[in-house]
Amino acid sequence: MNDKSTAKKYIGKVYLVGAGPGDPGLFTLKGKGLLECADVVVYDALVSSAILQMINPQAKKLDAGKRRGRHSLSQEEITQLLITKAENNGVIVRLKGGDPFVFGRGGEEMADLIKAGVSVEVVPGVTSGIAAPAYAGIPLTHRDYSSSVTFVTGHESAGKYRPIVKWSAIAHGSETIVVYMGIHNLPYIVEQLQLAGLSLNTPIALVRWGTRIEQEELIGTLATIVEQVKASQFGAPAIAVIGEVVNLHQILPSYRPIS
Ligand SMILES: C[S@@+](CC[C@H](N)C(=O)[O-])C[C@H]1O[C@@H](n2cnc3c(N)ncnc32)[C@H](O)[C@@H]1O
């Protein structure tokens, strides 16, 4: 038997689409067009309901939602599901919160699909690490305070990333640090940044459910933030911004959608 007779044929194409951080106004036109003509949509937990409402009513909707400690489907199961759906469907949308290639495992999913012989394309989304601070009145760069930004995962299993997070280097690598998935591990992160020499007075902002009506902000310093989180029971999902740019929230307006 030659390779041609054994090769699987996939009629469908998978689109890895970034849904943005929540506000449907931040969703791309390309992403919306794909949702409207999708045959199958496999979506994550952080995709907002306003965006899910844009899905073609005839499409099959599958919740692959993953939230801390509650995995509905494993990464392998999600990839296998996409491969199976590509056998008999035309447009398969894999809808992910924010941007698929920013702490979204989009790169892994894309590589696995290509390996299986499935056509795949990425449609970038607005990442929460930029949008949530912006809606809170915090620009990540500013000519007076910051000419560089680092995006880093604060997830406690960050050792799975290559290279692993070196907080001592992160502390001095840029003027603004943006931490994804950092709330659970915040005491450790704050301690590591202090040990690396960042001042206790360094401002830090946490923005929870950024760009949604539920958006909340907590502003403090490296000295105070852990206690503030405890006292207010501030939880995930949130972005942490560390650096002098945080002080700009005092003069720039914060914004959140009203519906
Ligand atoms: C697995 S990462 C996915 C990031 C996503 N790919 C992105 O580009 O925004 C999940 C983390 O993103 C952050 N996040 C996602 N949406 C958010 C939002 N609306 N507000 C604040 N943080 C958010 C939180 O740190 C959350 O724990």
Side-chain angles (χ1 to χ4, degrees):
M1 243 190 262
N2 63 29
D3 281 354
K4 265 191 183 164
S5 61
T6 53
K8 264 206 166 164
K9 298 275 185 299
Y10 296 101
I11 62 165
K13 178 167 176 178
V14 175
Y15 294 86
L16 296 180
V17 177
D23 181 349
L26 297 177
F27 190 34
T28 64
L29 289 175
K30 189 168 181 178
K32 182 169 183 278
L34 284 163
L35 284 190
E36 287 167 352
C37 69
D39 298 302
V40 179
V41 179
V42 180
Y43 61 93
D44 273 352
L46 286 179
V47 177
S48 68
S49 58
I51 289 174
L52 294 178
Q53 280 164 24
M54 296 175 192
I55 297 173
N56 167 15
Q58 268 79 53
K60 195 169 177 52
K61 290 190 254 175
L62 301 166
D63 182 355
K66 285 185 291 181
R67 294 298 306 280
R68 221 190 130 66
R70 285 181 280 133
H71 283 245
S72 336
L73 286 180
S74 70
Q75 188 59 48
E76 292 69 27
E77 287 168 333
I78 293 170
T79 305
Q80 195 47 54
L81 177 66
L82 295 169
I83 293 170
T84 307
K85 293 297 171 196
E87 286 172 12
N88 305 309
N89 297 277
V91 178
I92 301 106
V93 174
R94 173 72 177 108
L95 192 59
K96 288 168 167 285
D99 180 272
F101 280 1
V102 180
F103 302 121
R105 302 190 72 169
E108 290 148 75
E109 271 177 37
M110 192 177 218
D112 289 344
L113 289 165
I114 289 169
K115 202 169 153 198
V118 178
S119 299
V120 54
E121 183 180 327
V122 66
V123 179
V126 175
T127 188
S128 56
I130 292 175
Y135 271 40
I138 302 170
L140 300 183
T141 67
H142 186 286
R143 286 203 302 176
D144 295 337
Y145 306 104
S146 171
S147 54
S148 54
V149 189
T150 298
F151 295 96
V152 60
T153 173
H155 197 283
E156 67 271 36
S157 67
K160 288 182 188 158
Y161 284 80
R162 296 289 181 269
I164 61 165
V165 175
K166 289 198 181 83
W167 290 102
S168 54
I170 297 287
H172 300 289
S174 65
E175 285 117 324
T176 305
I177 304 168
V178 176
V179 187
Y180 291 69
M181 297 171 275
I183 297 299
H184 186 72
N185 215 15
L186 195 66
Y188 173 78
I189 295 167
V190 165
E191 184 189 29
Q192 292 301 305
L193 293 176
Q194 288 177 14
L195 286 173
L198 283 198
S199 155
L200 286 172
N201 295 326
T202 306
I204 174 168
L206 306 181
V207 187
R208 180 178 196 234
W209 288 123
T211 82
R212 306 190 186 210
I213 44 175
E214 305 94 330
Q215 181 175 309
E216 281 181 85
E217 295 114 53
L218 193 62
I219 314 277
T221 64
L222 288 186
T224 63
I225 199 70
V226 171
E227 283 310 314
Q228 286 175 269
V229 167
K230 268 192 210 149
S232 60
Q233 299 193 331
F234 199 90
I239 286 291
V241 187
I242 301 158
E244 294 302 317
V245 289
V246 168
N247 289 335
L248 290 162
H249 86 279
Q250 292 164 10
I251 52 170
L252 301 181
S254 78
Y255 170 76
R256 77 204 59 187
I258 47 171
S259 63

